[in-house]
């Protein structure tokens, strides 16, 4: 089996008092996913999450991980300091905008510009089913203009006017983004000239251009704050006027609950033989009863000992949870979208372990 060349794995948590989601980022699991850490290689995967937790919320605390686990990768905590970037009158509103501290991901290019050229941002309610280096390698597919890659929130083209600032134009049709997972090239984001909103119907109109930063964010915020009830919609509007800067990421890397609820909205890429690459538990799908299949996946990872556990146990626990909690539901009937890639990852891990 060909090993992954990537051996360093950096994780940046911005004011993480609690890691709400479950990540395959420790123990034998991550060691086998990213290769032998004793080799000299040039690449480092950078993963960043923003989260404001509350006491005793369901999740995984960094402090609860054993010393052995924490030695498998490097991580650093950053404080979500809104006062450093915003006028005092906006700090309170932005901090609670949509979800506590969620809007702070808008400031990541400025915060991490001297740390790394690029990073994968992920919400804390995400489980990776495939090695994350497969996603990291997609940075090489960016064209010379693209600064980020984000997946569509729907599995099909949307209907509407291309002049509607809520939609982004793409060769496949109009779409909106879900920012649960974003590939972000900070250097390009900060150096590119972003168009400021303008009258697109006026063919003679020329857009003002600005570099990415607080001034640009506030320009868009002041104009569209009544329509952008959260930062995801603000980014959607910003990319509406700058579609050439955005690369559309496959929905398989952001397989959400609404892709597994009914036949009206499906992710075709995940429905293929490759299956879902990363599962995003929106609407508290990992914790509540909204989607028993997603909760079964979360609980399988929660119960799995990533340091000493047999990877086969992870797959079997997921299947067992499906039978006991999700049988007869729509998503359970198509759960192979999740179990197929998980089974392949488990098989690859076992093969890699035996070949050592």
């Amino acid at each position: 089996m060909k090993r992954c060349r990537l051996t360093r794995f950096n994780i940046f948590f911005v004011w993480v008092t609690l890691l709400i989601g479950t990540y395959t980022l420790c123990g034998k699991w991550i060691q086998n996913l990213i290769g032998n850490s004793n080799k000299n290689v040039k690449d480092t995967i950078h993963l960043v999450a923003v989260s404001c937790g509350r006491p005793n919320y369901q999740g995984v605390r960094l402090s609860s991980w054993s010393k052995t686990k924490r030695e498998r990768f490097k991580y650093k905590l950053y404080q979500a300091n809104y006062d450093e970037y915003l006028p005092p009158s906006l700090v309170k509103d932005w901090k609670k905008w949509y979800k506590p501290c969620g809007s702070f991901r808008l400031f990541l290019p400025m915060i991490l510009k001297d740390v790394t050229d690029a990073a994968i941002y992920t919400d804390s309610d995400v489980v990776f089913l495939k090695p994350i280096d497969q996603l990291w390698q997609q940075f090489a597919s960016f064209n010379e203009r693209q600064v980020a890659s984000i997946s569509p929130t729907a599995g099909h083209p949307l209907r509407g006017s291309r002049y509607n600032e809520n939609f982004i134009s793409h060769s496949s049709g109009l779409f909106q983004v879900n920012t649960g997972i974003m590939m972000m090239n900070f250097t390009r984001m900060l150096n590119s000239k972003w168009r400021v909103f303008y009258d697109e119907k006026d063919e003679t109109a020329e857009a003002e251009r600005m570099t990415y930063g607080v001034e640009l964010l506030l320009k868009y915020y002041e104009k569209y704050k009544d329509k952008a009830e959260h930062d995801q919609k603000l980014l959607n509007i910003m990319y509406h006027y700058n579609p050439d800067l955005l690369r559309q990421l496959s929905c398989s890397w952001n397989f959400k609950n609404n892709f597994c609820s009914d036949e009206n909205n499906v992710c075709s890429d995940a429905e293929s033989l490759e299956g879902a690459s990363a599962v995003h538990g929106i609407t508290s799908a990992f914790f509540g009863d909204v989607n028993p299949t997603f909760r079964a996946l979360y609980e399988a990872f929660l119960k799995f000992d990533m340091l000493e556990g047999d990877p086969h146990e992870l797959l079997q626990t997921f299947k067992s949870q499906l039978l006991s909690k999700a049988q007869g539901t729509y998503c359970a009937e198509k759960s192979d979208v999740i179990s197929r890639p998980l089974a392949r990852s488990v098989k690859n891990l076992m093969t890699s372990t035996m070949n050592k």
Side-chain angles (χ1 to χ4, degrees):
M1 175 183 175
K2 184 178 180 180
R3 292 275 188 85
C4 173
R5 293 173 56 252
L6 303 170
T7 64
R8 293 188 59 201
F9 201 99
N10 289 344
I11 307 176
F12 307 102
F13 295 109
V14 183
W15 197 243
V16 176
T17 56
L18 186 64
L19 181 58
I20 301 174
T22 303
Y23 296 88
T24 57
L25 302 180
C26 49
K28 293 179 180 177
W29 187 267
I30 186 60
Q31 184 182 34
N32 285 310
L33 283 185
I34 64 174
N36 188 335
S37 60
N38 293 324
K39 293 183 179 179
N40 292 321
V41 295
K42 65 178 181 179
D43 294 320
T44 301
I45 296 176
H46 297 277
L47 176 69
V48 58
V50 179
S51 177
C52 282
R54 58 180 183 267
N56 302 317
Y57 192 72
Q58 190 171 195
V60 181
R61 284 180 169 79
L62 287 170
S63 60
S64 70
W65 296 357
S66 68
K67 182 176 182 292
T68 305
K69 288 181 180 178
R70 283 185 273 118
E71 286 177 346
R72 303 282 186 173
F73 56 88
K74 296 181 179 180
Y75 72 90
K76 186 172 183 179
L77 303 180
Y78 291 81
Q79 183 174 353
N81 187 355
Y82 284 82
D83 298 286
E84 185 176 344
Y85 299 97
L86 293 172
S89 60
L90 293 179
V91 169
K92 184 177 180 181
D93 288 341
W94 275 56
K95 191 170 185 178
K96 66 180 182 180
W97 200 17
Y98 187 43
K99 291 183 178 179
C101 298
S103 62
F104 206 69
R105 56 189 166 182
L106 297 176
F107 303 112
L108 293 180
M110 290 84 86
I111 298 168
L112 298 175
K113 64 181 180 180
D114 296 325
V115 179
T116 175
D117 177 67
I120 295 171
Y121 164 83
T122 172
D123 279 354
S124 51
D125 54 349
V126 171
V127 172
F128 288 98
L129 302 180
K130 297 180 184 178
I132 196 172
D133 61 278
Q134 293 182 14
L135 179 59
W136 182 260
Q137 290 165 4
Q138 292 190 34
F139 275 114
S141 299
F142 280 35
N143 67 28
E144 61 182 12
R145 289 284 298 151
Q146 292 166 343
V147 304
S149 184
I150 312 175
S151 66
T153 191
H156 51 79
L158 302 176
R159 295 180 179 179
S161 168
R162 67 183 180 89
Y163 296 118
N164 187 327
E165 66 272 5
N166 294 301
F167 301 119
I168 301 171
S169 294
H170 187 263
S171 58
S172 64
L174 299 178
F175 76 105
Q176 294 176 324
V177 295
N178 179 275
T179 52
I181 292 182
M182 295 188 287
M183 301 177 65
M184 307 171 73
N185 187 312
F186 301 140
T187 302
R188 286 190 176 189
M189 290 183 74
L190 294 171
N191 291 338
S192 296
K193 295 295 185 180
W194 294 65
R195 293 187 191 92
V196 180
F197 45 85
Y198 65 103
D199 185 357
E200 298 174 276
K201 294 182 180 180
D202 182 356
E203 295 182 358
T204 64
E206 292 187 9
E208 177 186 1
R209 290 180 180 267
M210 300 176 62
T211 54
Y212 189 94
V214 175
E215 186 179 356
L216 177 68
L217 292 173
L218 292 182
K219 252 189 184 306
Y220 270 98
Y221 175 74
E222 291 299 331
K223 171 71 173 179
Y224 291 106
K225 59 184 177 182
D226 294 333
K227 294 183 178 181
E229 61 265 29
H230 49 75
D231 63 295
Q232 176 176 290
K233 286 200 172 182
L234 188 69
L235 273 181
N236 196 84
I237 294 171
M238 290 173 65
Y239 281 116
H240 164 82
Y241 289 103
N242 297 274
D244 56 317
L245 300 184
L246 183 65
R247 177 179 181 269
Q248 191 178 96
L249 180 66
S250 168
C251 55
S252 69
W253 281 104
N254 193 354
F255 187 74
K256 303 183 280 80
N257 175 44
N258 60 330
F259 290 142
C260 205
S261 299
D262 56 55
E263 296 180 355
N264 295 321
N265 187 29
V266 298
C267 173
S268 298
D269 289 349
E271 299 284 340
S272 71
L273 293 177
E274 295 300 317
S277 302
V279 176
H280 184 186
I282 63 171
T283 63
S284 299
F286 285 151
F287 315 122
D289 298 324
V290 64
N291 192 325
T293 298
F294 275 41
R295 182 167 183 172
L297 178 68
Y298 167 76
E299 292 187 351
F301 273 97
L302 193 64
K303 294 176 181 178
F304 181 63
D305 184 341
M306 291 186 182
L307 185 63
E308 301 295 341
D310 182 338
H312 281 306
E313 295 176 5
L314 177 63
L315 181 61
Q316 293 307 314
T317 301
F318 172 56
K319 291 182 176 180
S320 176
Q321 293 283 340
L322 279 178
L323 288 175
S324 63
K325 297 184 177 181
Q327 196 169 18
T329 63
Y330 174 84
C331 196
E333 295 297 322
K334 57 191 300 182
S335 59
D336 60 333
V337 171
I338 295 173
S339 60
R340 283 199 315 267
L342 182 59
R344 280 194 297 271
S345 291
V346 166
K347 181 180 178 180
N348 290 340
L349 286 172
M350 297 300 293
T351 301
S352 177
T353 301
M354 289 187 293
N355 288 342
K356 282 187 176 180

